[in-house]
Amino acid sequence: MASSMRSLLADPSRYLRSFRVFLEKSTEHQSMQEFMEQQLPGVVASIGNGKSAINILSVGGGAGEIDLLILSTVQARYPGVTINNEVIEPSAEQILKYKERVAATSNLENVKFTWHKETAYEYESRMNAEKKSKKWDFIHMIQMLYYVKDIPATVRYFHSLLEAQAKLLIILVSETSGWETLWKKYGSSLPLDDLCTYVSSADIKGMLDSAGLKYQLHELPSNMDITSCFTEGDKDGELLLDFLTETCEFSKTAPPELKHQIMEELRKPGCSEKRNGKVLFNNNLSVIVIEP
């Protein structure tokens, strides 16, 4: 690759900025919130039966927005029961935001929080070194499997930590999304390095089927307004393009031909639809709930 393109994850602060624009411009969190309100109560209905404390592990908890929705659903199902909520998150900045969010949220008296500034792999290595294998009643991995080197091994490891009534919940982009189209076509031209792998629900389903694991699948419709990507020099548009391609300063560093092809691709029906003068990228998500 002769161009000066580099992975967006090589610049953590730009990554977080582009991620925030993505959350502003997409219905991602609204879609997840709807799932947490409507479907999650059924998912967690038996995880705490007969228990005086419920242990929850959040793998890649980010700034905690979705974690707190999950916790309030579990609290509603098991009022007054102690919840031990441990969070694995490699970004110090995200952990700080998570702690601020917890401090500003009421009704968390029965929840104990522990944060580990580490990756999923570092957590696994530490547990193995300490010869520990703590069991969990609920483990969730939301939008984080892209950043794991060995996805099957990571899923197998966390699955092995489930209690008898527990569930492992994974959320990632759906095989019906524009991400699938874009990355399958152009992933090999982008500077992903070892920092990010492209994976969709199709890959995870294949993996679970071959391992003979039982799971349920829920599809969450979601979109992202990428109209600003087509305005030369638009700051939000440039950050969104970085996020879509996982490339730092994509507009400035991509070879002109590649940039042209990707901009064309983003307008096509496989990626987006035009509605009310906007270009809406298909950001559909899949929720996969795995049994012990």
Side-chain angles (χ1 to χ4, degrees):
M1 202 159 38
S3 79
S4 55
M5 291 165 81
R6 62 193 185 109
S7 168
L8 179 58
L9 289 160
D11 184 340
S13 71
R14 189 167 175 93
Y15 171 80
L16 279 178
R17 277 179 20 235
S18 67
F19 178 60
R20 285 190 196 121
V21 177
F22 160 71
L23 288 181
E24 273 165 38
K25 300 284 185 183
S26 76
T27 61
E28 169 128 343
H29 275 183
Q30 293 91 303
S31 299
M32 287 190 200
Q33 190 167 353
E34 223 162 87
F35 173 83
M36 300 304 165
E37 286 164 3
Q38 294 166 13
Q39 312 284 337
L40 191 66
V43 173
V44 300
S46 63
I47 62 167
N49 286 354
K51 298 195 172 221
S52 57
I54 295 171
N55 296 318
I56 297 179
L57 183 62
S58 162
V59 187
E65 299 100 320
I66 303 300
D67 283 22
L68 292 188
L69 290 178
I70 291 172
L71 289 168
S72 70
T73 303
V74 176
Q75 283 177 310
R77 174 68 186 83
Y78 300 99
V81 173
T82 299
I83 299 171
N84 298 310
N85 186 69
E86 292 200 27
V87 183
I88 301 168
E89 169 55 52
S91 162
E93 194 178 335
Q94 292 285 70
I95 289 176
L96 188 64
K97 288 205 159 31
Y98 196 139
K99 289 179 175 175
E100 286 167 357
R101 188 167 264 115
V102 167
T105 305
S106 55
N107 307 325
L108 290 173
E109 297 78 13
N110 62 325
V111 184
K112 296 190 177 110
F113 289 90
T114 312
W115 288 270
H116 305 282
K117 186 191 168 301
E118 58 194 354
T119 64
Y121 179 70
E122 285 163 352
Y123 174 84
E124 182 181 343
S125 305
R126 180 167 64 83
M127 288 294 131
N128 290 339
E130 294 172 7
K131 299 205 170 7
K132 284 183 185 164
S133 71
K134 186 171 175 182
K135 294 282 187 179
W136 301 90
D137 300 303
F138 190 55
I139 300 176
H140 54 86
M141 312 168 89
I142 297 174
Q143 291 289 46
M144 59 68 68
L145 281 174
Y146 322 106
Y147 310 115
V148 165
K149 277 203 173 55
D150 186 338
I151 295 167
T154 300
V155 173
R156 270 198 308 275
Y157 172 72
F158 286 102
H159 180 264
S160 76
L161 305 181
L162 292 178
E163 289 279 18
Q165 300 284 324
K167 298 279 189 289
L168 168 59
L169 178 137
I170 292 173
I171 301 184
L172 77 171
V173 297
S174 167
E175 62 196 273
T176 66
S177 70
W179 296 99
E180 175 88 346
T181 310
L182 184 69
W183 287 61
K184 284 277 184 280
K185 206 160 178 181
Y186 293 104
S188 59
S189 309
L190 298 169
L192 293 180
D193 312 328
D194 287 341
L195 297 171
C196 178
T197 327
Y198 179 61
V199 56
S200 78
S201 60
D203 304 290
I204 303 299
K205 277 164 33 186
M207 200 184 298
L208 297 173
D209 289 340
S210 64
L213 293 174
K214 290 196 347 218
Y215 61 91
Q216 284 97 40
L217 186 70
H218 306 265
E219 288 290 307
L220 310 187
S222 172
N223 64 51
M224 163 173 46
D225 181 354
I226 59 167
T227 318
S228 59
C229 293
F230 302 97
T231 307
E232 199 66 44
D234 184 291
K235 285 282 173 280
D236 281 356
E238 287 185 356
L239 286 166
L240 275 184
L241 276 174
D242 284 12
F243 194 76
L244 283 160
T245 58
E246 288 284 346
T247 304
C248 194
E249 306 264 11
F250 174 79
S251 302
K252 298 187 175 72
T253 61
E257 184 52 29
L258 178 67
K259 183 181 173 185
H260 174 73
Q261 287 171 349
I262 285 180
M263 299 308 285
E264 288 295 299
E265 192 67 42
L266 285 172
R267 290 182 187 273
K268 289 180 184 168
C271 279
S272 304
E273 61 166 328
K274 291 194 175 65
R275 207 189 305 157
N276 305 331
K278 290 181 174 169
V279 183
L280 299 178
F281 183 81
N282 177 333
N283 185 54
N284 289 355
L285 303 165
S286 290
V287 180
I288 302 171
V289 181
I290 310 169
E291 306 287 330

